[in-house]
């Protein structure tokens, strides 16, 4: 049985279609990512799958339960971490977990045991009796992840789990997500607009734009579709002689020439930079710059939708407040090294 | 997801009680307004001839059940406000996505909101004793608690019904102010209703607080406008209507 089956699911609001005829499946135990700009419909999809919103059309099952007909069974079998923090700041970490455990019907013995277990899992055991308002952003996130796991759900939804966290905390949070996916064996569905997050964390990634899935595969396969690395060579002068020489090289896959640059598509670009520079030297062309571009999910998104994640977000939504300052660094279009 | 989920109700109740007892500032804040009314009106009008006041009843004796009822109204209205506050911070979603029926959630809130509102009312009652208030009999205390519980269910239910129709807590806060004070002034809490114009008296007849204050006066002071059975009957009906209304309206609230 697949963890999630979605069949031509659609959600229309008054003026927009947030989810537009989506179909996909998520396997059990998978760490599944949905990458797309803000406003692409990811959160709407999550809200539908966890029965908080009714779809306009289509159907979906979560753990085999129909999201329209069997809402209670769906809710029992999922955990969710919402995009905005949803903790009671006046209660302690352990009390927040106990509240949740009671709502999910856990008995006393099981409750105590599970609270200890999940607090251990996210390294919050030492601060369990501190009020949540004294927690840092990263600790709150971890507590929410722990809470999502208390009732041993088969599927855990994480809506932008690292939004607003600094780069270091973000990486640490990935570790926790990976750990519970492996240790607890829970299927994880996460949404993100950080391409690095989707790339490094997820087994498979669905690229979502304007309510549609434009591509779905492993991060490696998605990047492979881009045809390889690109070396961008900045030139001072005529490119023709260099291009002619490069075209004879077996390792060159494709060449694009612009006014001041030559784009060379190839595999393992970093190993060919010395060759390229030598050839340019030999034919007497002056190089002003060399840049290696590795394919990233950002470039995949760009080639599939014609805009960068950032541009797409700006088209659909106003710029968000509180966007972390390292946003640009992690989702920028060019990443020379991973 | 059973219709009535006792553990879920308990979880919501426990949360409300913990939050209440942990923030003394909130308790003081909730008690302050009723206490000001009690102290200034109670001492200021002591000995004054107030038309319609029952024979041999001091104004303070008359006033205390009214202020206790007011404290209940004040405390219960916070329950509705806390739902909207939960929505503001996103915590409402955490509750709504759990496998607990909406009815159970409403019952949990009513249990929690009633408990904290009853504690506030009882504190006002205790604070009125040093001011000179005398309860007619110790036996009247349990009966007073029953009356307070019915009033609490009525007004917390009303608060939930109102909160279900509102999306922002600020607007709700203003509306509540506009509802609380008319209900308070039109309940016979501060003065006997006989002095009011007849049309206004009819309004008082549909105000649950009128019966709550009258019933409290009956058991705490030993004087009342209506027979206690009538008061209790009216309170049971209003509590049932308001809890039902709160549950029905909250059932339709969109989660996101």
């Amino acid at each position: 049985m697949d963890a999630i089956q979605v069949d031509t699911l659609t959600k229309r609001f008054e003026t927009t279609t947030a989810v537009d005829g989506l179909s996909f499946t998520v396997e059990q135990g998978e760490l599944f990512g949905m990458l797309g700009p803000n406003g692409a419909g990811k959160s709407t999809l999550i809200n539908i799958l966890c029965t908080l919103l009714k779809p306009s059309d289509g159907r979906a099952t979560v753990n085999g339960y129909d999201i329209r007909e069997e809402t209670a069974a769906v809710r029992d079998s999922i955990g969710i971490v919402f995009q905005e923090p949803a903790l009671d700041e006046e209660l302690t970490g352990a009390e927040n977990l106990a509240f949740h455990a009671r709502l999910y019907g856990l008995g006393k013995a099981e409750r105590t045991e599970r609270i200890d277990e999940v607090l251990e899992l996210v390294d919050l055991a030492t601060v369990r009796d501190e009020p949540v308002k004294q927690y840092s952003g990263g600790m709150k996130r971890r507590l929410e992840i722990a809470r999502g796991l208390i009732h041993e759900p088969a599927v855990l939804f994480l809506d932008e789990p690292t939004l607003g966290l600094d780069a270091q905390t973000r990486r640490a949070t990935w570790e926790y997500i990976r750990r519970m996916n492996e240790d607890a064996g829970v299927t994880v569905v996460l949404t993100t607009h950080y391409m690095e997050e989707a790339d490094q964390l997820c087994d498979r990634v669905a690229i979502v734009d304007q309510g549609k899935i434009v591509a779905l595969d492993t991060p490696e396969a998605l990047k492979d579709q881009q045809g390889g690395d690109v070396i961008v060579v900045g030139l001072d002068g005529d490119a023709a002689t260099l291009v002619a020489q490069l075209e004879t090289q077996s390792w060159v896959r494709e060449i694009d020439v612009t006014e001041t640059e030559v784009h060379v598509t190839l595999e393992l670009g970093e190993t060919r930079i010395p060759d390229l520079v030598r050839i340019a030297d030999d034919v007497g062309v002056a190089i002003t710059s060399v840049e290696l571009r590795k394919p990233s999910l950002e470039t995949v998104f760009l080639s599939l939708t014609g805009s960068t994640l950032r541009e797409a977000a700006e088209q659909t939504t106003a710029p968000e407040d509180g966007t972390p300052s390292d946003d640009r660094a992690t989702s920028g279009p060019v990443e020379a090294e991973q | 997801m059973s219709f009535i989920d006792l553990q879920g109700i308990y979880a919501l109740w426990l949360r409300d009680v913990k939050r209440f007892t942990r923030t003394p500032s909130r308790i003081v804040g909730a008690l302050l307004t009723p206490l000001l009314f009690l102290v200034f009106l109670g001492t200021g009008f002591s000995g004054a001839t107030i038309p319609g006041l029952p024979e041999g009843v001091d104004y303070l004796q008359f006033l205390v059940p009214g202020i206790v009822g007011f404290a209940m109204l004040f405390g219960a209205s916070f329950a509705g406000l806390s739902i909207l506050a939960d929505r503001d911070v996103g915590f409402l979603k955490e509750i709504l996505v759990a496998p607990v029926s909406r009815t159970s959630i409403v019952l949990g809130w009513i249990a929690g909101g009633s408990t904290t509102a009853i504690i506030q009312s009882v504190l006002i009652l205790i604070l009125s004793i040093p001011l000179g208030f005398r309860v007619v009999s110790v036996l009247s205390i349990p009966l007073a608690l029953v009356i307070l519980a019915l009033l609490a269910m009525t007004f917390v239910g009303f608060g939930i019904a109102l909160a279900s129709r509102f999306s922002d807590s600020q607007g709700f806060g203003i509306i509540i102010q506009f509802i609380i004070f008319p209900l308070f002034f039109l309940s016979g809490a501060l003065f006997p209703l006989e002095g009011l114009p007849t049309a206004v008296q009819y309004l008082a007849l549909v105000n649950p607080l009128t019966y709550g204050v009258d019933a409290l006066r009956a058991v705490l002071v030993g004087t009342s406008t209506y027979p206690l059975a009538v008061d209790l009957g009216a309170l049971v009906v209003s509590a049932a209507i308001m809890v039902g209304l709160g549950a029905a309206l909250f059932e339709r609230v969109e989660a996101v």
Side-chain angles (χ1 to χ4, degrees), chain B residues 44-82:
Chain B
F45 283 114
S46 76
T49 321
I50 289 165
L53 210 63
E55 200 103 353
V57 174
D58 176 60
Y59 183 62
L60 184 76
Q61 297 292 110
F62 179 84
L63 182 66
V64 167
I67 299 296
V68 169
F70 174 58
M72 163 57 62
L73 183 59
F74 211 67
S77 67
F78 275 95
L81 204 56
S82 70

Side-chain angles (χ1 to χ4, degrees), chain B residues 211-230:
Chain B
Y211 303 99
V213 168
D214 198 53
L216 285 172
R217 224 166 250 150
V219 299
L220 294 175
V221 185
T223 172
S224 69
T225 311
Y226 313 107
L228 184 58
V230 171

